Amino acid sequence: MSCQNVQPELIAYHFGTLPPPARLAVEAHLPVCPRCLGSYLALKRDIELGEEEPAPSEASRHRLRRAIAAELAGPPARAGWRWERPFAFGFAAAAVVVALFSVQTLATGPGRAPRGMDLSVSTEKLP
C-alpha cells in the first residue's frame, strides 16, 4: 500500500473501523514508512488530547465524580451487619466452650471397656 492510500485510512485505523484486509495493509505499511507513522502519531495525539474541543461542564464533571466514587465504594452495607457478626462470634464461642466442657467431662469420668471387649482376666486356659 502506498502513502497516498494509507493517509486517508489513518482515522479509520485509529478507531478500528477498517475492514481486515485494509487494516493489515496499514499495519504492514506503518513500521516501514516514517512519514506515515509520524502522521498517525500526530493524528492519534490530536484525537486523544483534543484540546480544541469544548470542556465538559461542571455539572457533568460532578456527576462523573459521584458515579466513580459510588463505584469505588462498593455495595451499600447491610442494615443488620452491626449486630449479626458479634452474635455469630458469641454463638461460636459458646459452642466451643460446650465442646471443651463435654470433652473434659468424658475424659476425667470413670471409663469402661468398649462394647464387645471384656478386659477381665480369665482363668481358663485357651486351647
Side-chain angles (χ1 to χ4, degrees), residues 48-74:
E48 290 178 359
L49 294 179
E51 293 177 1
E52 290 120 22
E53 299 296 321
S57 68
E58 272 306 309
S60 62
R61 286 183 188 192
H62 183 68
R63 283 193 311 268
L64 178 62
R65 287 185 184 123
R66 252 194 349 241
I68 291 172
E71 185 72 26
L72 291 177

Side-chain angles (χ1 to χ4, degrees), residues 118-127:
D118 186 15
L119 297 178
S120 62
V121 178
S122 175
T123 56
E124 66 182 65
K125 292 204 169 202
L126 294 175

Side-chain angles (χ1 to χ4, degrees), residues 25-85:
V26 170
E27 286 175 353
H29 180 78
L30 285 178
V32 296
C33 180
R35 193 181 91 190
C36 288
L37 182 60
S39 296
Y40 174 68
L41 293 176
L43 174 73
K44 184 175 176 69
R45 182 181 59 241
D46 289 342
I47 289 172
E48 290 178 359
L49 294 179
E51 293 177 1
E52 290 120 22
E53 299 296 321
S57 68
E58 272 306 309
S60 62
R61 286 183 188 192
H62 183 68
R63 283 193 311 268
L64 178 62
R65 287 185 184 123
R66 252 194 349 241
I68 291 172
E71 185 72 26
L72 291 177
R78 291 186 8 210
W81 180 82
R82 291 191 180 261
W83 66 269
E84 285 177 353
R85 186 171 282 181

